[in-house]
Amino acid sequence: MPLTDLALDELTRYRPESLPPPDFDAFWDRTLADARACGGAVRADRVTEEHLLRTVEVDDVRFPGWQGEPVAAWLLRPREAEGPLPVVVSYIGYTGGRGLPTDHLLWSAAGYAQLVVDSRGQGHDTPDPDPGGGTQWAKGFLTRGIDSPEHYYYRRLITDCVRAVDAVGELPGLDPARVIVAGGSQGGGLALAVAGLARVAAVLPDVPFLCHLRRAAESSGDGPYQELAEYLRWHSRHNVEPAFTTLSYFDGVHFAQRATAPALFSVGLMDPICPPSTVYAAFNHYAGADRGMTVWPFADHGGGYGSNPAVQLAWLRERGLVPPR
């Protein structure tokens, strides 16, 4: 992949004007208050033996998300660990779900608990019964309910992700004061949204999706943003500005402007799916003083691949966010 975006010195200064809707905070306050008012129990059932894991305990979790609907998650932690443990709440990339527990062994191997959150309608274990007001023009999820912030798909998914952080306080052996939200691509965008809406100890957004959405739709050469471009290509006479008005309630730049927890981003400078300028737009608007960027100069959308976790673990250790020995 060639370099197709701004040069690195331009990226570090790239801070485009980005104004959220006037009722952005009220919209999300109301959305989350309505979800919490629905109530619902958090349930965890032990399933370790099904996966023949000797050093990790695994629970199959259900917690209440959007409108109290049950959301699936895996909870992994070192076997017989003495808590309370810091917990990594991790979110999944586009069109993926929580998968199997054996897909997620790194954080428990490092001594952390991990709550792996399914993505409604994308994973196999959490349906999305709300069709988004019946509006979906292109395949995928980016245009589902795009006619209105009230009906937009990511209103439901982001609510689920915030409610996952709420659920940590109801699961035994976890430390709700040491919640780290993390993910790559869509998962990174969701982690950033949660950091702007909930109290967390740290955020690890890798090559985050859902940031600086107008530029992303205009400049991405591959991947899900093409869904937006396709939709707008055929609805350009009437729907461009209404669509971006809806998207402005879900743009990672606006969540970054409200997030203050220590944050470690990552970016691939040859990423054709989430252009580096969209990542830097969120990073350079991030409200927290303790923020860093791991730059992978020749990387595509995979970012640092297997090299990135070691960087994250060292960064968390520097901030005292480590499990007990």
Side-chain angles (χ1 to χ4, degrees):
M1 294 290 179
L3 290 169
T4 57
D5 206 345
L6 304 176
L8 182 57
D9 62 334
E10 296 174 288
L11 290 170
T12 59
R13 300 190 303 271
Y14 184 66
R15 195 175 186 274
E17 182 178 13
S18 185
L19 298 176
D23 64 339
F24 182 91
D25 294 315
F27 172 84
W28 280 108
D29 288 346
R30 173 171 53 86
T31 295
L32 297 176
D34 289 349
R36 288 170 176 139
C38 291
V42 178
R43 191 184 79 243
D45 299 310
R46 186 59 47 85
V47 296
T48 305
E49 287 67 24
E50 298 176 19
H51 301 280
L52 302 177
L53 298 173
R54 295 187 178 184
T55 62
V56 178
E57 294 177 344
V58 182
D59 290 342
D60 184 2
V61 173
R62 295 296 186 279
F63 66 87
W66 165 260
Q67 293 187 339
E69 296 166 359
V71 179
W74 297 120
L75 175 61
L76 301 93
R77 50 193 155 189
R79 188 180 289 271
E80 299 179 356
E82 295 185 5
L85 294 175
V87 54
V88 177
V89 179
S90 57
Y91 308 113
I92 306 300
Y94 197 65
T95 71
R98 66 173 180 164
L100 298 173
T102 45
D103 297 331
H104 308 283
L105 297 178
L106 185 142
W107 288 106
S108 57
Y112 294 82
Q114 182 182 14
L115 188 67
V116 183
V117 181
D118 204 31
S119 296
R120 63 170 47 236
Q122 300 184 40
H124 296 294
D125 301 318
T126 308
D128 183 29
D130 186 337
T135 302
Q136 181 171 359
W137 190 84
K139 64 181 180 179
F141 299 89
L142 278 179
T143 64
R144 184 174 291 185
I146 199 169
D147 288 349
S148 164
E150 301 289 332
H151 297 142
Y152 192 49
Y153 168 79
Y154 279 97
R155 184 186 187 207
R156 303 190 292 281
L157 181 54
I158 290 171
T159 299
D160 291 346
C161 292
V162 173
R163 293 290 282 144
V165 173
D166 293 348
V168 167
E170 299 186 44
L171 291 166
L174 308 184
D175 186 351
R178 292 191 293 166
V179 173
I180 302 150
V181 289
S185 192
Q186 175 184 257
L190 294 171
L192 192 56
V194 173
L197 294 171
R199 185 185 296 272
V200 298
V203 55
L204 303 172
D206 290 321
V207 293
F209 184 53
L210 302 172
C211 295
H212 200 9
L213 287 164
R214 185 183 289 267
R215 181 173 176 86
E218 293 171 346
S219 62
S220 173
D222 195 4
Y225 289 129
Q226 299 300 297
E227 296 170 24
L228 284 179
E230 184 179 2
Y231 171 80
L232 294 169
R233 183 177 306 125
W234 295 104
H235 294 76
S236 59
R237 289 183 60 190
H238 306 293
N239 285 15
V240 170
E241 293 310 316
F244 282 112
T245 295
T246 292
L247 293 171
S248 66
Y249 288 86
F250 308 93
D251 196 313
V253 173
H254 300 153
F255 292 117
Q257 291 167 341
R258 287 153 176 78
T260 59
L264 180 63
F265 288 66
S266 74
V267 65
L269 296 188
M270 292 186 172
D271 188 344
I273 294 174
C274 293
S277 58
T278 67
V279 176
Y280 270 96
F283 176 76
N284 289 332
H285 274 283
Y286 194 82
D290 184 0
R291 60 184 174 91
M293 177 74 80
T294 304
V295 179
W296 303 100
F298 287 88
D300 56 15
H301 193 54
Y305 290 90
S307 298
N308 204 51
V311 177
Q312 293 176 325
L313 287 166
W315 183 86
L316 290 171
R317 182 168 296 277
E318 290 171 0
R319 283 148 187 82
L321 292 170
V322 292
R325 290 188 175 273

